[in-house]
Amino acid sequence: MRKLIDKEITIEMFSGEKVEKIRAQLDFVGSDFIEVCLIKDSNKPSKEWEYYKQPKEKDEMNKRIIPITTVKCINL
């Protein structure tokens, strides 16, 4: 999975009894988790003040850590 770092992927993961799909960019692969940065459908900020945030702050809001055990499938 480390070869997929910085690539856009679609992750199917278990969320309770449902399967959830997430579009994301893979940032880090650990021994039992992956760290991803979520990709939103629209790049337009939802609030006017989000234009003035630093780019690092925007990226930190969209990051998620996902345990490997919940991942069902990864598509490129």
Side-chain angles (χ1 to χ4, degrees), residues 3-5 7-11 24 26 73-76:
K3 290 183 180 181
L4 298 177
I5 291 178
K7 303 279 192 253
E8 289 187 17
I9 57 175
T10 302
I11 301 171
L26 189 61
C73 177
I74 296 179
N75 298 320
L76 299 176

Side-chain angles (χ1 to χ4, degrees), residues 3-74:
K3 290 183 180 181
L4 298 177
I5 291 178
D6 292 332
K7 303 279 192 253
E8 289 187 17
I9 57 175
T10 302
I11 301 171
E12 291 183 19
M13 57 184 265
F14 295 108
S15 177
E17 295 179 2
K18 298 179 181 178
V19 176
E20 182 181 353
K21 286 187 178 182
I22 299 173
R23 284 187 47 225
Q25 179 179 357
L26 189 61
D27 285 340
F28 182 77
V29 178
S31 59
D32 59 348
F33 68 93
I34 57 175
E35 184 176 342
V36 296
C37 184
L38 300 179
I39 298 172
K40 295 186 179 182
D41 291 333
S42 65
N43 291 333
K44 183 179 176 185
S46 58
K47 298 178 184 162
E48 189 174 309
W49 56 269
E50 288 185 7
Y51 281 113
Y52 302 107
K53 284 187 173 181
Q54 297 295 327
K56 183 178 179 183
E57 291 176 6
K58 287 182 184 178
D59 290 342
E60 293 297 322
M61 287 177 29
N62 295 328
K63 289 196 178 204
R64 300 288 183 265
I65 295 177
I66 303 171
I68 293 280
T69 56
T70 63
V71 176
K72 177 183 175 187
C73 177
I74 296 179

